[in-house]
Structure formats: structure tokens, C-alpha cells
């Protein structure tokens, strides 16, 4: 495929929310435009009318609402078929954990429609889920904090006895809270179970330095790109609001070990805690690009651009060099739009 062909692709992107817990979509779009040029056509795929990316017309050419993942694969495929009739999509890049199962399941049908994806398998997706992370660590020799699955308050009391406070109380898909008391743990349990369902996970709290690694696996046990980032400012939801690229062979080795153990295909993020003894603990493995993914492009390894090329059968050479000390600082911006736009996406599901 020629460079000109990449420059005129039509790409569907999810994850357009950009609040204090932002989705990766806007950062992925920025990276794609930086790497492939402004002629690519970006089709936003949204779940709610208040996702800011819907109204960022300098980045998103048109947006269509799609059904929530709970609606199932048939509803998603029907909606994507309609969107494809209007837009002739070349590629879809999903950016939420909870939607990946459905997109993986319909990937063969999408391919028949001329729509490419570059996603992990269902088996790869399952092995790194929070409920399976402890077993995964034991099997492959990774340091993972001890955890317990919570279905009832009694399970939480038992977890407190086994792991002691403070505890990390985590939702099945998203969100995590530090609990220093049983009252805080119970509140977090009820909130997370109501939002994400069971089980909720209680995880041993590890003190140290928080580091994230964004990487891109080729599906054959190798990484095309690895960028480690140390968090400099963290929100109350545990999200990086500022971070800086760092150089550390141990982090590169850890990502390479993960790719080798899983044959991971596509983008992923390792959330790491380095303790006082320089041990690296894997806290979470996110099966898609992180919200800070634009930093990879700014540091010299544009992972979303590379994923696009891999989706079309090109295998880029592994990228080993990047700029250390590249700092990102997230900020809020009041984006003013007309109420008519909101009414249109709410009523018609398109804008």
C-alpha cells in the first residue's frame, strides 16, 4: 500500500470522551493526523451525546452513535453496516476495554465488508483481565499484587484479613479507589459493583513510583514500539494528568517479556508500580492504547500510525529510539458549540 493510500483512509474511532477520565480516541486521532496527514477522514463512533470529540470538527469529520456493548454483536454489526454504506470505512480502531469483545467477534464480518481491524484474540483479552491477572502473573513469572475477587461484603471482610489496609478496590473494567478503612472499602465496593458488575477486585496496595508503558505487539511475540512514561501528576481516579518519557532497560525488558508470553496483537498498556526495592509490579494490563498515546508520537514512535500500517499487512521495523524527557501536561478547555449540534446527535444519532 502506498503512502498516498494511507493519506486518504477513512478510519472509525471510538473513545471520544475527554473528561477527567478521558478515553484514548482524541489522542489516537491526533497521532494519526500527525503521522498520516490531515487528509485522512475520521469517523467518530460514540456512545453518548456528551462526548466532547463529537463536536471537535477539526479532528472528527462526522460522528455516528453506536449501541452500547451490552446490546450485543448483532446490533453493533447492523449499525456498522449502515455507517459503512455512508462512509466506506477502511479501518476501525476501538479504544475501550468493554467494547473489544464485540469488535473482535465481528472482525471477520467487518473484513468481508472491507473494514480492517488490528485486535488481540478473545484468549489474549481474557488472560489479562483483572480477575485473571494474578494467575497470569504466577504462570509467567511476573510480579502482580495479591488480590481477591469480591461478590459480597463478606468477601471484602475476608480480603481485609488476608491483604490488610490500605486496599485498592477496582471495578471489573474501569475505576479504582484506595481504601484505608472498611467504610471506604464498602462504599467503593457498592459504587463499582453498581457501575461495572461483579466481581469487584480487592488488590494489595503497593507503594512506590507509578510508571506506564505503551506498546504495540505484532502478534508473533514481538513489540514494534515500547514507550515508558513516569506519572508526574495523578488525578483522584488514578489517571495520569502529566507524565514524562523515561529510559529504563528493565521496563523495555518487561514489555518484551509480556509480548513473548502472550503473542499480543495490537496496542496495549502496562500499568506498573516500582517499589523501594526496585521491584516492578504489574497493576493492570489495558488491552488498547492509553489516553496519553499521543506522547508516543511526540517522542518519535507513532504507535497509532504503525498500527494502521500493520492492519494493512505492512510490518514496520521495530522502533528502538525515542526522545527521553518528553513531557505531557493534560489540560481542560471549554469547547463551545451550538445546541443544534447536540440536538442532532441526540435525535438522529449522527453529526
Amino acid at each position: 500500500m502506498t503512502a498516498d493510500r494511507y493519506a486518504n483512509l477513512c478510519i472509525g474511532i471510538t473513545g471520544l470522551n475527554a473528561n477527567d477520565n478521558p478515553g484514548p480516541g482524541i489522542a489516537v486521532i491526533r497521532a494519526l493526523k500527525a503521522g498520516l496527514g490531515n487528509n485522512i477522514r475520521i469517523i467518530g463512533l460514540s456512545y453518548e451525546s456528551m462526548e466532547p470529540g463529537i463536536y471537535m470538527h477539526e479532528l472528527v469529520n462526522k460522528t455516528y452513535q453506536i449501541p452500547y456493548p451490552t446490546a450485543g454483536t448483532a446490533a453493533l454489526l447492523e449499525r456498522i453496516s449502515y455507517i459503512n454504506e455512508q462512509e466506506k470505512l477502511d479501518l476501525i480502531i476501538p479504544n475501550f476495554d468493554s467494547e473489544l469483545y464485540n469488535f473482535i467477534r465481528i472482525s471477520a464480518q467487518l473484513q468481508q465488508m472491507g473494514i480492517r481491524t488490528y485486535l488481540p484474540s478473545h484468549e489474549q483479552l481474557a488472560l489479562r483481565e483483572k480477575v485473571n491477572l494474578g494467575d497470569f502473573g504466577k504462570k509467567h513469572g511476573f510480579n502482580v499484587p495479591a488480590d481477591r475477587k469480591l461478590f459480597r461484603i463478606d468477601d471484602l471482610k475476608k480480603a481485609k484479613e488476608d491483604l490488610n489496609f490500605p486496599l485498592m478496590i477496582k471495578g471489573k473494567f474501569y475505576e479504582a479507589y484506595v481504601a484505608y478503612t472498611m467504610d471506604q472499602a464498602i462504599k467503593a465496593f457498592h459504587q463499582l459493583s453498581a457501575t461495572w458488575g461483579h466481581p469487584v477486585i480487592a488488590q494489595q496496595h503497593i507503594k512506590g513510583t507509578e510508571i506506564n508503558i505503551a506498546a504495540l505487539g505484532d502478534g508473533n511475540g514481538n513489540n514494534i514500539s515500547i514507550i515508558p512514561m513516569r506519572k508526574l501528576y495523578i488525578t483522584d481516579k488514578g489517571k495520569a494528568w502529566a507524565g514524562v518519557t523515561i529510559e529504563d532497560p528493565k521496563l523495555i525488558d518487561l514489555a518484551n517479556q509480556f509480548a513473548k508470553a502472550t503473542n499480543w496483537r495490537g496496542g496495549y498498556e502496562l500499568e506498573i508500580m516500582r517499589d523501594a526495592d526496585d521491584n516492578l509490579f504489574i497493576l493492570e494490563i489495558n488491552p488498547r492504547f492509553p489516553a496519553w498515546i499521543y506522547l508516543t508520537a511526540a517522542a518519535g514512535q507513532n504507535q497509532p500510525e504503525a498500527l494502521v500500517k500493520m492492519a494493512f499487512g505492512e510490518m514496520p521495523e521495530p522502533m528502538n529510539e525515542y526522545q527521553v524527557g518528553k513531557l505531557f501536561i493534560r489540560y481542560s478547555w471549554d469547547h463551545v458549540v451550538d445546541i443544534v449540534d447536540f440536538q442532532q446527535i441526540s435525535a438522529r444519532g449522527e453529526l
Side-chain angles (χ1 to χ4, degrees):
M1 178 165 288
T2 66
D4 289 342
R5 178 68 178 93
Y6 289 130
N8 292 285
L9 292 177
C10 183
I11 305 175
I13 303 285
T14 70
L16 302 182
N17 62 314
N19 51 22
D20 61 337
N21 186 12
I26 297 303
V28 169
I29 294 168
R30 291 182 65 201
L32 291 177
K33 286 183 174 288
L36 302 177
N38 289 319
N39 285 336
I40 59 172
R41 181 169 173 80
I42 299 296
I43 304 302
L45 305 174
S46 71
Y47 293 101
E48 298 179 354
S49 301
M50 292 300 290
E51 295 179 30
I54 297 170
Y55 309 99
M56 300 173 70
H57 300 305
E58 71 281 7
L59 294 176
V60 181
N61 296 94
K62 186 169 182 178
T63 299
Y64 295 83
Q65 284 192 333
I66 59 176
Y68 285 103
T70 51
T73 54
L76 176 62
L77 188 60
E78 180 180 0
R79 184 59 172 164
I80 296 296
S81 297
Y82 167 78
I83 296 169
N84 191 50
E85 289 174 359
Q86 315 305 312
E87 303 294 344
K88 298 296 184 288
L89 293 166
D90 294 299
L91 174 71
I92 293 178
I93 303 177
N95 292 297
F96 285 137
D97 301 25
S98 56
E99 67 187 359
L100 287 180
Y101 178 87
N102 286 345
F103 273 105
I104 294 169
R105 192 171 177 187
I106 67 170
S107 59
Q109 292 98 315
L110 294 178
Q111 181 76 29
Q112 292 175 356
M113 295 161 53
I115 305 172
R116 296 172 184 258
T117 56
Y118 201 80
L119 299 170
S121 67
H122 282 136
E123 292 74 20
Q124 291 169 329
L125 194 64
L127 62 82
R128 40 63 46 199
E129 287 181 352
K130 295 176 186 178
V131 295
N132 299 324
L133 187 58
D135 293 336
F136 172 76
K138 291 175 185 176
K139 180 178 179 180
H140 296 286
F142 296 110
N143 291 325
V144 174
D147 63 23
R148 298 292 184 272
K149 301 175 183 65
L150 310 177
F151 296 89
R152 306 180 304 276
I153 294 299
D154 288 345
D155 297 330
L156 184 54
K157 294 175 181 177
K158 182 66 167 59
K160 178 256 182 186
E161 295 174 2
D162 294 340
L163 304 178
N164 298 317
F165 285 119
L167 288 172
M168 294 299 301
I169 309 297
K170 297 188 170 186
K172 184 177 179 180
F173 292 113
Y174 302 104
E175 295 188 71
Y177 299 95
V178 182
Y180 295 92
T181 66
M182 183 57 71
D183 286 343
Q184 291 177 343
I186 291 173
K187 179 181 178 182
F189 171 82
H190 286 307
Q191 182 173 336
L192 293 170
S193 60
T195 304
W196 304 112
H198 294 106
V200 174
I201 293 90
Q203 190 180 72
Q204 175 190 11
H205 185 267
I206 306 293
K207 292 185 65 176
T209 302
E210 292 194 45
I211 297 166
N212 288 16
I213 303 172
L216 178 61
D218 68 357
N220 296 307
N222 307 299
N223 286 305
I224 297 300
S225 168
I226 306 170
I227 298 286
M229 177 272 291
R230 179 166 60 87
K231 293 182 179 180
L232 296 180
Y233 186 87
I234 303 170
T235 70
D236 59 354
K237 289 186 171 65
K239 302 301 177 182
W241 208 252
V244 61
T245 56
I246 59 176
E247 183 178 14
D248 189 329
K250 286 185 67 174
L251 298 171
I252 302 298
D253 288 344
L254 183 64
N256 282 328
Q257 291 170 29
F258 173 79
K260 185 177 181 180
T262 61
N263 291 323
W264 193 267
R265 188 174 191 265
Y268 66 93
E269 178 190 33
L270 302 179
E271 296 191 23
I272 307 297
M273 188 70 77
R274 167 175 269 141
D275 70 8
D277 297 321
D278 201 34
N279 296 309
L280 300 177
F281 286 84
I282 298 179
L283 305 182
E284 292 185 19
I285 303 169
N286 297 315
R288 36 72 190 168
F289 288 133
W292 56 274
I293 195 64
Y294 183 70
L295 184 62
T296 68
Q301 295 187 17
N302 193 326
Q303 292 183 9
E305 177 191 7
L307 181 142
V308 169
K309 294 179 179 179
M310 293 162 75
F312 283 91
E314 180 180 340
M315 192 56 64
E317 289 294 322
M319 296 178 276
N320 299 314
E321 302 294 329
Y322 62 92
Q323 295 182 44
V324 176
K326 276 291 184 179
L327 172 72
F328 86 88
I329 303 175
R330 193 165 287 147
Y331 63 94
S332 299
W333 183 270
D334 294 333
H335 189 62
V336 180
V337 300
D338 198 297
I339 190 65
V340 173
D341 288 350
F342 172 76
Q343 291 170 337
Q344 181 171 326
I345 189 71
S346 299
R348 297 182 51 206
E350 300 180 22
L351 179 64

